Amino acid sequence: MTAPRIAPFGSWPSPITGDLIAADSISFYEVLLDGDDVYWVEGRPPESGRYVVVGRSPDGRVGDVTPAPYYARTLAHSVLVFRTALTF
């Protein structure tokens, strides 16, 4: 075993990176209710940071509403949900 090396704070190499920590985390934004349906936007780092509108129907089914490769949160796309119709 090698002897420990003393190094200034933050200068030692680490196998743990910010990308590794965030790789499997999903963030949630903009929860919307439309009757008995619920919609929200998910940020997905594993999909190059794509934002996806996800919906949950009254019977519990959950699924993506915006198809790949579209991003739900860009300046070019705005999202409107009204009575189970998604416009973007």
Side-chain angles (χ1 to χ4, degrees), residues 47-60:
E47 295 181 33
S48 300
R50 184 167 83 98
Y51 289 92
V52 180
V53 175
V54 180
R56 183 183 187 278
S57 61
D59 63 3

Side-chain angles (χ1 to χ4, degrees), residues 72 74-80 87-88:
T74 65
L75 293 176
H77 299 104
S78 59
V79 177
L80 171 66
T87 305
F88 69 102

Side-chain angles (χ1 to χ4, degrees), residues 2-55:
T2 60
R5 187 183 74 160
I6 297 174
F9 178 78
S11 67
W12 56 87
S14 174
I16 301 170
T17 64
D19 290 340
L20 180 64
I21 292 170
D24 293 326
S25 63
I26 294 176
S27 51
F28 300 93
Y29 304 94
E30 302 178 34
V31 176
L32 302 167
L33 302 176
D34 184 29
D36 292 333
D37 296 306
V38 181
Y39 297 93
W40 62 91
V41 177
E42 286 185 4
R44 297 180 177 173
E47 295 181 33
S48 300
R50 184 167 83 98
Y51 289 92
V52 180
V53 175
V54 180

